[in-house]
Amino acid sequence: MTESWMNGAAIVLSDGREIPITDTMVRKSLEELAEESETKAGSYERAASSN
């Protein structure tokens, strides 16, 4: 399904193929970044509390 608000945004692979960026791809990437950020924040908090 094409996301009209993305105006045809795509990832261009090294071989020239274009992969359309979907809403699902964007949401998954943002969720992964949020999880990574929470994990790092927890590590920083544990390190700070051990000093």
Side-chain angles (χ1 to χ4, degrees), residues 15-35:
D15 63 4
R17 288 183 295 146
E18 294 184 12
I19 307 297
I21 298 172
T22 64
D23 181 60
T24 302
M25 292 167 78
V26 173
R27 288 179 191 273
K28 182 178 179 201
S29 295
L30 291 174
E31 288 169 0
E32 289 173 2
L33 285 171
E35 289 174 13

Side-chain angles (χ1 to χ4, degrees), residues 37-49:
S37 178
E38 290 172 4
T39 300
K40 286 183 180 178
S43 296
Y44 295 142
E45 290 172 5
R46 285 189 298 278
S49 66

